[in-house]
Amino acid sequence: MNRFSILYLFKGSFYHLTYSTRPEAEDAIKNFPQISKGLPLGIYDAKTELFIWEAAREKEYNQLAIEEQGRRGNEIISIIEKLRASGLEIAPVEEEPERPLTLPEDESKEIPSKGRRLAKAVTEK
């Protein structure tokens, strides 16, 4: 299993790409628009269980209160660990219809996967 993962958001769902080495992952996140669609959030190191935020998101993260940094850090690590545990690493399909970020109660329980989704849609608070 590859040690490093890039976590990214695409059309309201989380995805990840894995790499063997940190330099490979760092190079990939710098050239992310050429590799995949979506918004890169950062790099996860499975050995140390640490998440390194992408530069623009790191600036935002550092401006949060300590309690909020802890909450967000734990949340992001939980998401990436679930994605890695699933064993799936599928790039999103461009033709997939846009999904709203907030779903009605009855739709939020499960989103049909069709083998392409790695996570449920994210709901904005």
Side-chain angles (χ1 to χ4, degrees):
M1 182 188 282
N2 291 328
R3 177 177 168 178
F4 298 91
S5 291
I6 292 178
L7 177 66
Y8 65 101
L9 195 58
F10 180 73
K11 292 191 176 187
S13 292
F14 291 101
Y15 297 88
H16 75 117
L17 299 171
T18 60
Y19 297 89
S20 299
T21 66
R22 185 172 177 163
E24 286 177 324
E26 289 172 344
D27 186 51
I29 206 164
K30 287 177 189 172
N31 300 306
F32 200 78
Q34 298 158 355
I35 296 169
S36 181
K37 304 248 182 237
L39 178 68
L41 301 177
I43 300 171
Y44 175 76
D45 180 343
K47 184 175 182 180
T48 63
E49 298 182 345
L50 295 175
F51 187 78
I52 304 147
W53 292 93
E54 187 270 333
R57 263 129 299 289
E58 182 177 13
K59 185 176 180 182
E60 294 172 21
Y61 177 78
N62 288 338
Q63 293 175 352
L64 298 173
I66 296 297
E67 296 82 19
E68 184 65 13
Q69 285 182 5
R71 188 187 69 73
R72 290 229 182 137
N74 289 336
E75 184 178 278
I76 228 60
I77 288 172
S78 174
I79 290 167
I80 191 67
E81 287 177 343
K82 287 177 186 174
L83 288 172
R84 289 178 63 89
S86 74
L88 296 175
E89 184 180 351
I90 303 171
V93 176
E94 177 82 32
E95 296 79 35
E96 196 169 297
E98 181 70 39
R99 297 205 185 270
L101 291 178
T102 305
L103 299 173
E105 284 295 316
D106 58 323
E107 291 183 43
S108 65
K109 295 192 180 17
E110 186 67 38
I111 295 174
S113 67
K114 297 181 185 175
R116 295 184 179 152
R117 291 265 174 191
L118 298 182
K120 291 182 181 180
V122 179
T123 54
E124 290 283 282
K125 293 181 181 177

